[in-house]
Amino acid sequence: MLQDTQTIRYYQRITDAFVELWNRGYRMDDMRMYLDGYLAALRHGNAIEPYLIHRLEEEASRYLYDASNFAMVQPEPEPQHDYY
């Protein structure tokens, strides 16, 4: 579980981006590459400590590979009533 506030913000940005990418038609391989690039940028920029980046990678990967996060909610059809 993430506890550092900055790391939590990065996690929220990543997961929001995953959902946006999914809705635009990208799939798991593309999102994994996005995550790899995002983490590489964090490492290169020394934005947060390396052990926090590792924890962020674990949590973001867990989110990415949980299919329930990308399930489309289908609205239930309205029941049709025949009034004659």
Side-chain angles (χ1 to χ4, degrees):
M1 179 194 285
L2 300 174
Q3 296 179 352
D4 178 62
T5 57
Q6 189 66 32
T7 308
I8 292 169
R9 287 189 192 111
Y10 288 129
Y11 176 79
Q12 290 171 333
R13 288 179 188 161
I14 291 171
T15 55
D16 289 345
F18 285 161
V19 172
E20 179 64 28
L21 289 170
W22 180 264
N23 290 334
R24 290 159 88 200
Y26 292 90
R27 293 299 172 245
M28 293 296 171
D29 292 339
D30 301 319
M31 291 188 288
R32 183 64 208 192
M33 286 193 317
Y34 177 87
L35 176 61
D36 290 343
Y38 194 95
L39 295 171
L42 288 176
R43 285 185 184 101
H44 183 72
N46 293 325
I48 55 177
E49 295 294 323
Y51 75 94
L52 292 174
I53 294 173
H54 180 70
R55 287 294 297 146
L56 178 62
E57 181 177 15
E58 289 175 349
E59 294 295 327
S61 295
R62 186 175 298 131
Y63 181 91
L64 180 61
Y65 293 114
D66 184 1
S68 66
N69 292 320
F70 303 104
M72 298 292 272
V73 177
Q74 299 292 329
E76 293 186 24
E78 293 289 324
Q80 294 183 359
H81 299 287
D82 292 330
Y83 296 105
Y84 289 105

